Amino acid sequence: MRSFQGRRSDTYELNKKFKFDPAKVDAMILSHAHIDHSGNIPNLVKSGFDGPIYTTPATVDLCDIMLKDSAYLQQRDVEWLNKKKRGPAPAEALYSLEDVERALNNFQGLDTIPQLKFPPV
């Protein structure tokens, strides 16, 4: 799930809200673990997605590390922002370590992706 990167003020809302209902997505194929591809998966799961995430075993291993690190860094950033009282309301992380753990339960490391049939769009 694409994670928009850049200035905090520009990217928070882009990453927070989806232009579709995550609960209506049946499955995901994740090609690789780069954070701009995987970094918003915990937020997707938090927002209602509960399907399998098909990827390679190596990508599962990398996402386990990278997404937990991302949640930790977000939490530290939020703590700093709230301590400095920047912004009109308390800052919130996009997702927590608990959200990452829930998302990781959806990952299915496969050596080959099964043949899937997609409905017409």
Side-chain angles (χ1 to χ4, degrees):
M1 185 72 253
R2 180 181 170 94
S3 176
F4 293 96
Q5 299 177 349
R7 292 175 24 169
R8 183 183 300 112
S9 60
D10 296 336
T11 59
Y12 183 80
E13 288 302 318
L14 285 172
N15 285 315
K16 182 82 174 155
K17 298 176 183 173
F18 299 98
K19 294 181 181 182
F20 58 90
D21 180 357
K24 292 184 178 181
V25 177
D26 295 322
M28 176 190 298
I29 298 173
L30 178 61
S31 61
H32 57 284
H34 289 172
I35 204 73
D36 62 322
H37 290 258
S38 65
N40 211 12
I41 290 174
N43 186 37
L44 185 75
V45 172
K46 179 179 174 179
S47 299
F49 173 74
D50 194 33
I53 301 168
Y54 299 115
T55 192
T56 66
T59 298
V60 174
D61 292 343
L62 287 169
C63 283
D64 181 68
I65 296 165
M66 293 169 59
L67 294 175
K68 288 176 182 175
D69 186 55
S70 175
Y72 171 78
L73 292 172
Q74 287 182 55
Q75 186 58 45
R76 293 301 304 254
D77 191 40
V78 162
E79 289 169 6
W80 182 84
L81 287 170
N82 289 335
K83 182 178 178 181
K84 297 294 181 185
K85 297 181 181 170
R86 297 185 188 240
E92 294 181 30
L94 281 174
Y95 52 82
S96 66
L97 184 56
E98 292 78 18
D99 296 322
V100 171
E101 293 292 349
R102 277 194 298 279
L104 289 170
N105 287 330
N106 293 51
F107 279 68
Q108 294 186 20
L110 305 171
D111 291 322
T112 59
I113 302 297
Q115 187 172 10
L116 302 171
K117 292 184 181 183
F118 297 96
V121 179

